[in-house]
Amino acid sequence: MCGIVGYVGYRDAASVCKDGLMHLEYRGYDSYGIASLSPKLSVFKSVGKISNAKNISSLKGTCAIGHTRWATHGVPSEINAHPLTDCGDKIAVVHNGIIENYAKLKAALIKRGHVFKSETDTEVIPHLIEEKYTGNLLDAVSKILPMLEGSYAILAVAEGENTIVAARKGSPLVLGVGDSEYIFASDAVPLIDYTKNVIYLEDGDIAEVKSDGYKIFNGKKIVKHPISKIEWDASVVRKSGFPHYMLKEIFEQPDVFSNTIQSVKENKEVVALIKKASSITVVACGTSANASMIFSYMMEAVCKIPTRVVVGSEYKYFPTPASSLVIGVSQSGETADTISALKISKDMGAKTIAVTNVLGSSITRTADVVLYTRAGPEVSVAATKSFTAQVAAFIEIVNLVSGKKLEPAVSDILRYLPDVVSADVSSAVELCKNASTLLYVGRGMFYPVAMEGALKMKEISYIHAEGYAAGELKHGPFALLCRETPVAALCLHGATYSVMMSNLKEIKARNAPLVAVGEAGDQDLEDLCDVFIPLPKVSEYAGIILSSVILQIMAYHCAVALGRDVDMPRNLAKSVTVE
Ligand code: F6R
C-alpha cells in the first residue's frame, strides 16, 4: 500500500523521489505527490500514475519527500494526496500507516484555530508539528510523536532546514546511506540506484538526516543500527527486455529455486524447531496461504507432524494452543493480518517462525526465528517467484526434517524448471481467455496448486476462477459445468491419478472444455481433454512446482491477450498493510 521516498544529498531530489516512487508502484496507489525545498517549500500532487507526472520538473532543490497514496481516509484526490502541509504551508509530511486517534486530535487542532484542507488522518501531523516548531524540526517531531496512536512511517521537512526527519512505528521504513546522500524508502528497492548500504529502522526510531550525515534516536538515546548490504543488483528491479515484470519473475524461478534451497540449508534453527514440534500452525494470506497448504500436506504425509493452515485474517477466531509451533508466511513481511496472527500466538506463549522474502520487514521483528526465501524483490503484484520460493523452502525443510526423503524432487525441479518456464500454453489460452468462469481442479497437494492457479488467473485477467478439490465438484460446482465453463485440471501420475481420471471423465460428460496438465506420453489423458499440456515424468513433489509454473504462464498470457494491466491489476496492492 502507500509508498514513501525521501532524498537529501546533492542530486535533483524531486527526480530521485519520482524515480523511487515509480519503483514502489507495485505496492498499489491511486494518487501521488512530492514536496521539495529550494529553500522555499513547493508541493506537487496529482491523481493517477506518477509516470504521467509532467510538472515535477518545477520542483527544485536537493531535499525532497514523496508519497504514493492508497486511499483509506478520504477519496483519492489531489487534496487528499500526500505530502500534507500545515496552515502556513511551511511544513510538509508524508505518512504510511493509520493515525487511529486523528479525529480527536483534529477536533482539538480546529478549536485552536487550525484550518484543514484534506479529509486524511495524516494532516493532523503537520499541524501538530507547526504548533511545536521553533526552528528545529527534530525537536518538534519528537514532541508530537507521543500524541499519535496507531502505526506510522513518517517523513517531514520544514522550510529553512535542508533536513528530513523520519519516524517509524509499525510501518516499514529504510534508510539508504550513500556518499554525501541519503535516501529513505518504504523498502530497499528505490535505494539500489544510489547505494547498497541500508539501515532498517526500528519501531520507536526517529532519524534526522542532512546531506552531511544522519543521527538516529530511540527515545532520548542515539542508537547505532548496523548497515546491511543489499544482496541483489539493480537489474533485478528492471524489466531487462521483458514486456512485464511478471514474465521476468516467472523466468527467474530456476535461479530462485536454488537460492532458496541454499537459504534453508544455511538456517539450522528453523529445521531444528520444526523437528521438535508436536504440531504446527501456519498463518498466511493469498498466495502465501496456498503455498502453506502445500506445506501442510507435505508435513503430514512425509514428516507425520500435524500441520494446519489458518488464513491470517481468521486466526484470531482459531488461536492456537501455546504448545503449537506457529509459522507466519509472507512474501512482503508486511501483511497486517499475518503479522497480527503471529503477535497473538506469541502473546499466548507459542514459539514463532517467520518465512519471508524481505530482509528487515516487519514480520522479522515479530517472530522468534526468521527464514528468508531469497527470491529477490518481486515487483509484479501477482506473486510468482515468491510462491515458488516458499514451496522450495517447504520442500527443503521437509527434506531435512525427514532425512532427505524429497531429494529426488529437488533434482527433478533443478533439471526441468528452466524449460518449463517457456512452455507453450497458447492453445489453453485460446480456450480460456473468453470464458466468464473457469474452474481449476486437483487432488492432494494439487488442490492448493489449483487454488493458486485460479487466484493467479482472477487477479490479473479478471476472469472469475475458482480452485477446487476435484472430489468437491460434485457437491455443487457441477451445476456450473457446460460448454462455456472451461476446467483446468492437474492430473500427473502418482497417488491421485486414477481417481482424477474418473473425475475428468465426469467433467467431460458435462461438455465442459478441459485443459489438462499431465505427464508427457499420457495418451489416455491427451485423448480425453481438449488441450493437453505435457510435463516431464517427475516425482509428485516436483510436479507441484512445475505445474504451478504452467498455471502462472497461462494466467499471464490470458491477461496479456485481454489487454490487462498485468503488473498492476486493478484494486490490488502488493503489500497489504491494513487488516
Ligand atoms: C497474489 C498475491 C497475494 C499475496 C497476499 C499475501 O498473487 O500476491 O494474494 O500473496 O496478499 O502477501 P504476503 O505474502 O506479502 O503476505
Side-chain angles (χ1 to χ4, degrees):
M1 292 175 157
C2 308
I4 283 183
V5 178
Y7 175 87
V8 56
Y10 52 85
R11 301 175 201 256
D12 174 13
S15 305
V16 175
C17 286
K18 180 183 171 190
D19 292 347
L21 291 173
M22 283 170 64
H23 275 309
L24 294 179
E25 278 192 306
Y26 68 92
R27 297 173 76 87
Y29 71 104
D30 38 54
S31 51
Y32 62 89
I34 295 177
S36 74
L37 295 165
S38 65
K40 208 175 140 7
L41 181 76
S42 315
V43 180
F44 176 79
K45 309 202 280 189
S46 188
V47 174
K49 296 265 183 200
I50 190 162
S51 46
N52 299 331
K54 300 246 162 25
N55 292 350
I56 280 176
S57 55
S58 64
L59 299 177
K60 305 284 179 224
T62 56
C63 178
I65 56 175
H67 189 264
T68 43
R69 172 172 187 258
W70 190 86
T72 54
H73 294 66
V75 294
S77 68
E78 202 176 305
I79 287 180
N80 288 334
H82 302 202
L84 290 148
T85 55
D86 64 326
C87 295
D89 291 332
K90 304 276 187 227
I91 292 163
V93 169
V94 294
H95 163 223
N96 182 6
I98 292 179
I99 305 302
E100 282 157 12
N101 59 336
Y102 86 100
K104 212 166 130 200
L105 292 169
K106 185 170 174 175
L109 282 158
I110 290 172
K111 263 197 187 151
R112 299 200 291 272
H114 290 260
V115 177
F116 278 73
K117 295 174 268 249
S118 78
E119 302 159 87
T120 65
D121 54 332
T122 302
E123 198 183 341
V124 297
I125 305 172
H127 287 278
L128 289 170
I129 297 175
E130 180 182 24
E131 287 192 335
K132 303 287 176 200
Y133 188 71
T134 54
N136 183 326
L137 185 61
L138 173 66
D139 190 47
V141 172
S142 309
K143 283 188 177 135
I144 67 109
L145 289 178
M147 302 176 200
L148 306 180
E149 286 167 21
S151 61
Y152 51 77
I154 294 168
L155 300 181
V157 289
E159 206 171 283
E161 294 185 61
N162 228 43
T163 304
I164 298 176
V165 172
R168 178 204 151 120
K169 186 183 146 207
S171 294
L173 192 59
V174 301
L175 172 63
V177 179
D179 202 2
S180 302
E181 59 178 346
Y182 299 90
I183 175 164
F184 282 105
S186 302
D187 64 42
V189 173
L191 315 187
I192 195 70
D193 292 328
Y194 309 96
T195 180
K196 283 196 156 195
N197 298 329
V198 57
I199 294 175
Y200 297 94
L201 294 181
E202 301 280 347
D203 277 352
D205 282 353
I206 306 177
E208 183 194 47
V209 181
K210 301 175 190 284
S211 58
D212 60 356
Y214 67 92
K215 282 186 201 135
I216 302 173
F217 302 83
N218 201 298
K220 293 215 174 335
K221 282 197 198 129
I222 289 212
V223 285
K224 291 238 174 293
H225 292 315
I227 297 183
S228 310
K229 281 268 174 230
I230 296 174
E231 282 181 351
W232 34 270
D233 293 319
S235 62
V236 177
V237 290
R238 310 253 181 275
K239 283 192 194 147
S240 310
F242 285 90
H244 299 98
Y245 283 108
M246 181 175 174
L247 190 60
K248 177 173 178 258
E249 287 159 4
I250 288 173
F251 272 73
E252 283 168 3
Q253 291 179 107
D255 290 339
V256 163
F257 185 78
S258 308
N259 290 348
T260 309
I261 296 281
Q262 192 51 34
S263 182
V264 178
K265 285 199 163 103
E266 287 165 13
N267 192 323
K268 307 278 178 259
E269 237 181 321
V270 165
V271 173
L273 271 178
I274 292 177
K275 271 186 179 165
K276 278 199 303 206
S278 54
S279 70
I280 298 175
T281 300
V282 193
V283 288
C285 301
T287 289
S288 296
N290 292 334
S292 303
M293 208 164 143
I294 293 171
F295 179 58
S296 72
Y297 275 90
M298 293 194 288
M299 284 307 290
E300 301 241 353
V302 185
C303 305
K304 314 288 179 216
I305 302 179
T307 304
R308 63 174 195 152
V309 180
V310 183
V311 291
S313 55
E314 289 294 304
Y315 182 79
K316 46 175 131 10
Y317 315 113
F318 292 95
T320 252
S323 57
S324 190
L325 173 67
V326 179
I327 307 181
V329 182
S330 172
Q331 185 286 129
S332 62
E334 302 296 344
T335 300
D337 286 322
T338 306
I339 292 173
S340 85
L342 267 198
K343 283 185 181 152
I344 296 171
S345 48
K346 238 185 134 174
D347 289 348
M348 291 174 60
K351 193 87 181 155
T352 55
I353 296 177
V355 177
T356 184
N357 193 33
V358 180
L359 216 71
S361 56
S362 302
I363 203 169
T364 66
R365 288 157 223 277
T366 312
D368 299 306
V369 177
V370 179
L371 171 68
Y372 288 107
T373 48
R374 286 205 210 142
E378 189 172 63
V379 176
S380 181
V381 164
T384 53
K385 64 174 180 174
S386 64
F387 169 81
T388 302
Q390 290 165 348
V391 179
F394 297 144
I395 288 179
E396 188 57 16
I397 288 172
V398 172
N399 200 21
L400 297 176
V401 172
S402 68
K404 303 217 182 257
K405 284 202 184 143
L406 298 194
E407 207 57 51
V410 176
S411 25
D412 278 350
I413 294 164
L414 288 170
R415 178 158 173 217
Y416 293 114
L417 190 53
D419 289 335
V420 169
V421 290
S422 44
D424 178 9
V425 294
S426 51
S427 307
V429 170
E430 274 312 303
L431 191 129
C432 296
K433 71 176 191 210
N434 296 318
S436 52
T437 290
L438 292 172
L439 297 178
Y440 285 69
V441 293
R443 278 177 175 261
M445 287 185 299
F446 292 97
Y447 164 37
V449 171
M451 294 206 299
E452 175 57 13
L455 177 61
K456 221 74 317 171
M457 182 62 90
K458 75 181 110 183
E459 69 176 322
I460 60 166
S461 73
Y462 314 151
I463 299 173
H464 174 241
E466 295 302 331
Y468 278 100
E472 271 292 293
L473 279 198
K474 289 194 279 284
H475 302 285
F478 250 45
L480 295 172
L481 293 182
C482 62
R483 281 182 213 288
E484 286 72 43
T485 309
V487 177
L490 301 156
C491 189
L492 287 148
H493 280 103
T496 60
Y497 179 78
S498 54
V499 66
M500 268 303 290
M501 281 300 277
S502 311
N503 294 150
L504 298 190
K505 284 177 189 151
E506 293 155 6
I507 291 168
K508 270 318 291 175
R510 271 88 194 163
N511 294 319
L514 185 61
V515 175
V517 180
E519 193 174 296
D522 183 344
Q523 203 54 51
D524 290 346
L525 181 59
E526 193 167 348
D527 291 346
L528 179 67
C529 65
D530 300 273
V531 174
F532 179 59
I533 304 177
L535 282 179
K537 182 176 171 51
V538 288
S539 87
E540 197 175 357
Y541 293 89
I544 54 175
I545 289 227
L546 301 185
S547 52
S548 300
V549 171
I550 295 289
L551 300 186
Q552 292 171 354
I553 311 171
M554 249 175 78
Y556 171 78
H557 288 292
C558 270
V560 171
L562 294 168
R564 306 298 190 223
D565 189 350
V566 174
D567 285 331
M568 275 181 280
R570 68 183 177 206
N571 302 334
L572 297 183
K574 182 82 180 158
S575 179
V576 184
T577 50
V578 291
E579 287 189 19

